Amino acid sequence: MKKNKLLFFMLLILTVIMAACSEVDSKTEPEGTKTSDDKEFLIKVGHAASQDHFAQDSIEKFKEIVEGNSDGKIKVEIYPNGQLGGEREMIEAIQLGNLTMAFPSSAPLVSFSKSMALWDLPYLFKDHETAYKVLDGEVGQEILDSLSDKGIKGLVYWENGFRHLTNNKRPIESVSDMKGIKIRTLESPMQIGAWSATGANATPIAFTELYAALQQKTVDAQETPLSLMYAMKFFEVQNNLTLTGHLYSPWPVIISQKFYDGLTEDLQNVVMDAAIETRDYNRQLSLEDEAKSLDLLKAEGMAVVDLTEEHKKEFQDAMRTVYDDVKAEVGEEIYDKLMKEVGM
């Protein structure tokens, strides 16, 4: 009898404990809470180009791939045309967690990683193929990885294109024509130095403010890839185009490190694979748009100067004076690796 009572009390205590545990579980994980397998994620992407530019087509391709390959677990929202601020502001927003992803010019990223200044070296790449080899190789990856301690994950490099010069003062046919020209540059000390070496008065202005600065004659000149010139309608406020090809401009694709680390491994792979697949798509769009944009700019009445080899060398010699400054800034090791890769 005593044994039966003892067994009864033990069962009663066990029942109470199990009920209590069940209650705690219900409080910590309410009904309807998603598990790690069915949690949904949102990628907010900002960029500074217009919706008519291939930047928009590129990020829409990324969205299509990510949402499809994640079975809807990752959604992508796109904010073009500088809606979320200039490129530096978007980078800072990624650090703060207010934005998930962007693909800015490399110049504003110099403030977050000194080695990004290497992509500001004038006349670094002789052609697209050399640029792709270096950017997709060991040096390119090392520079992307240098952002990680700033809360930024570098994925890949998309393409903005080779940059050229426009102005509304006079045709630029040689370095001597640059004297006194007020030019907007990228937000990079190295870019300011390079253009100052040509005799121009260089000043950095955020890209989102550039059209107004040209329209109001705050500056006389600017330099961007041909497709961006046309998409942003710079032909409305600039008369002369000089095909300098002075700089290849990559778009480092960056994402919040915290967001990326919070994804399961399979979803991380979805994001990375989409960035790579979009990279190839983006570069093809860039090549096609570059040729088309030159014809369109001519049709809009811009006078085009194609520099002779002699005068292009004048620009190269003047602007390459910043190479030693960049080497001192980023360090010999990474600088020498890059020079070896490009054959200098």
Side-chain angles (χ1 to χ4, degrees):
M1 187 70 175
K2 288 182 179 180
K3 288 183 179 181
N4 290 340
K5 285 185 178 180
L6 180 60
L7 181 60
F8 173 78
F9 282 117
M10 288 178 66
L11 289 172
L12 181 61
I13 291 169
L14 183 59
T15 302
V16 170
I17 291 172
M18 291 178 65
C21 289
S22 177
E23 184 177 352
V24 170
D25 287 342
S26 67
K27 288 179 180 178
T28 56
E29 188 173 351
E31 185 178 356
T33 297
K34 294 181 179 180
T35 68
S36 58
D37 291 333
D38 59 8
K39 183 177 179 181
E40 293 180 359
F41 297 89
L42 174 64
I43 295 179
K44 290 176 61 177
V45 189
H47 69 86
S50 74
Q51 288 171 282
D52 297 327
H53 190 263
F54 66 81
Q56 181 70 13
D57 297 322
S58 301
I59 194 59
E60 286 178 356
K61 182 69 170 178
F62 175 84
K63 171 184 169 73
E64 175 189 331
I65 297 169
V66 165
E67 291 185 349
N69 290 350
S70 69
D71 295 325
K73 292 178 183 177
I74 302 178
K75 300 294 184 184
V76 179
E77 291 181 356
I78 304 170
Y79 297 87
N81 210 29
Q83 291 180 35
L84 302 181
E87 292 185 324
R88 183 180 178 86
E89 287 80 10
M90 285 190 280
I91 298 167
E92 291 172 345
I94 288 174
Q95 280 191 308
L96 295 171
N98 298 327
L99 183 65
T100 318
M101 180 177 161
F103 45 105
S105 302
S106 56
L109 281 166
V110 174
S111 298
F112 304 85
S113 168
K114 289 182 179 180
S115 58
M116 278 286 170
L118 289 167
W119 308 136
D120 292 340
L121 290 170
Y123 295 101
L124 176 65
F125 298 125
K126 63 181 180 180
D127 51 36
H128 290 88
E129 289 71 26
T130 304
Y132 301 160
K133 178 184 175 183
V134 175
L135 291 167
D136 301 342
E138 181 183 343
V139 174
Q141 189 60 52
E142 184 175 338
I143 294 174
L144 284 177
D145 292 344
S146 68
L147 294 166
S148 61
D149 63 351
K150 301 296 184 182
I152 299 169
K153 168 76 174 175
L155 297 175
V156 295
Y157 296 94
W158 292 351
E159 177 170 289
N160 192 1
F162 277 96
R163 304 176 80 93
H164 303 278
L165 174 69
T166 70
N167 85 97
N168 62 357
K169 282 290 186 182
R170 54 182 172 265
I172 303 296
E173 298 179 343
S174 67
V175 167
S176 61
D177 294 324
M178 292 298 299
K179 188 174 182 180
I181 293 283
K182 295 182 293 184
I183 183 171
R184 174 267 179 182
T185 71
L186 293 163
E187 298 171 78
S188 159
M190 303 306 171
Q191 286 296 302
I192 295 171
W195 284 108
S196 296
T198 69
N201 298 322
T203 183
I205 296 175
F207 184 75
T208 50
E209 301 169 12
L210 178 53
Y211 185 95
L214 294 169
Q215 187 177 46
Q216 296 163 12
K217 303 188 185 306
T218 305
V219 289
D220 307 313
Q222 67 84 41
E223 47 82 53
T224 46
L226 298 173
S227 56
L228 209 51
M229 290 179 196
Y230 185 77
M232 301 305 293
K233 302 185 185 300
F234 289 154
F235 55 81
E236 295 178 345
V237 287
Q238 298 276 271
N239 301 320
N240 303 291
L241 165 61
T242 302
L243 299 175
T244 52
H246 56 274
L247 184 69
Y248 175 86
S249 186
W251 273 328
V253 181
I254 58 174
I255 195 167
S256 162
Q257 185 75 58
K258 183 177 180 181
F259 174 86
Y260 188 82
D261 291 344
L263 297 174
T264 58
E265 184 178 354
D266 62 322
L267 291 181
Q268 288 179 350
N269 291 336
V270 165
V271 171
M272 181 61 77
D273 291 347
I276 293 171
E277 186 176 341
T278 302
R279 176 194 67 194
D280 301 336
Y281 174 77
N282 154 268
R283 288 173 177 173
Q284 185 59 40
L285 287 180
S286 177
L287 291 171
E288 293 170 359
D289 215 53
E290 186 174 49
K292 180 175 68 176
S293 294
L294 180 58
D295 291 337
L296 291 169
L297 289 166
K298 288 178 180 178
E300 291 292 345
M302 293 198 79
V304 179
V305 173
D306 196 356
L307 291 176
T308 65
E309 288 302 314
E310 177 187 355
H311 289 143
K312 181 173 281 190
K313 189 174 186 306
E314 289 178 358
F315 274 92
Q316 290 173 346
D317 291 344
M319 299 181 82
R320 280 179 173 169
T321 58
V322 301
Y323 273 49
D324 288 341
D325 294 333
V326 173
K327 182 177 182 178
E329 185 71 15
V330 304
E332 287 189 20
E333 184 178 355
I334 186 69
Y335 177 89
D336 289 343
K337 278 185 185 178
L338 177 60
M339 292 302 107
K340 184 178 179 181
E341 285 285 326
V342 297
M344 286 189 187

